[in-house]
Amino acid sequence: MVKTIGITKAITNLNQVHTKFNLTSTSEPDFFTEWFENLPELTDSEKASLNRLKSRYLYYAADGAITEGTVNIIMLSPLLDLMGLCDPPFKMQSEELVKVEIRNGSEEELTLEGFIDALVVQNRLWVVLIESKRYGFSVMQALPQTLTYMMANPNLETPIFGMITTGEDYIFIKLNQQRLLYSLSKKFTLSNPQKNEMYEVMQVMKRIISLFVEIKI
């Protein structure tokens, strides 16, 4: 017998993810180097566009909380378009129904399902958008559900990546489903007054996307 439960109801904290999927966070120094090694250079035009995005976000944030839909329009969609991820050979999917089967050896198997407020690039990069300030300013609040969504990826042979953002804060995830290990990048934030960390966000995304091209998905 298969029992189906909504992801957001079944997964509410990180310990549940670790238990249900036997996942472990790793601090292996060589596990997730893509967020800080061999990052590509940005052009002056790209930097100018990212400066405009940061200024735009701060302009809207000055009025208070920013809704998820607004962040998507003013920040995330322009960023993805700037990187060419809306055009061939890439393809975006949003609000996709995700199902994750959990086999525990009992008579009753469990399937978790839910629609994700995310953009999926070629089943290799999951970009999850959460409403700014909805979860107490922390992108980490979306980590349990994001890992669950990523576990639904059908391609187990190669690692997959995720990015969680509120528009202001950004964090990257690398998941190896075969080894049941994951690791996080540092948090990049637009609240840094000394530099535009959107530069690094775009560099990391470019680095990850280059891996997709290498394996010719």
Side-chain angles (χ1 to χ4, degrees), residues 10-25 140 143-145 147-148 182:
I11 304 294
T12 59
N13 60 66
L14 199 52
N15 285 335
Q16 289 177 327
V17 176
H18 292 170
T19 300
K20 290 183 183 297
F21 299 109
N22 293 317
L23 274 180
T24 301
S25 174
M140 292 297 294
L143 180 59
Q145 285 80 17
L147 284 170
T148 302
Y182 73 93

Side-chain angles (χ1 to χ4, degrees), residues 118-147:
L119 300 164
V120 184
V121 185
Q122 296 282 42
N123 285 327
R124 293 293 312 284
L125 174 61
W126 298 67
V127 183
V128 178
L129 175 64
I130 63 175
E131 188 167 335
S132 178
K133 303 184 183 179
R134 178 180 173 187
Y135 297 104
F137 302 91
S138 176
V139 293
M140 292 297 294
Q141 294 292 333
L143 180 59
Q145 285 80 17
T146 302
L147 284 170

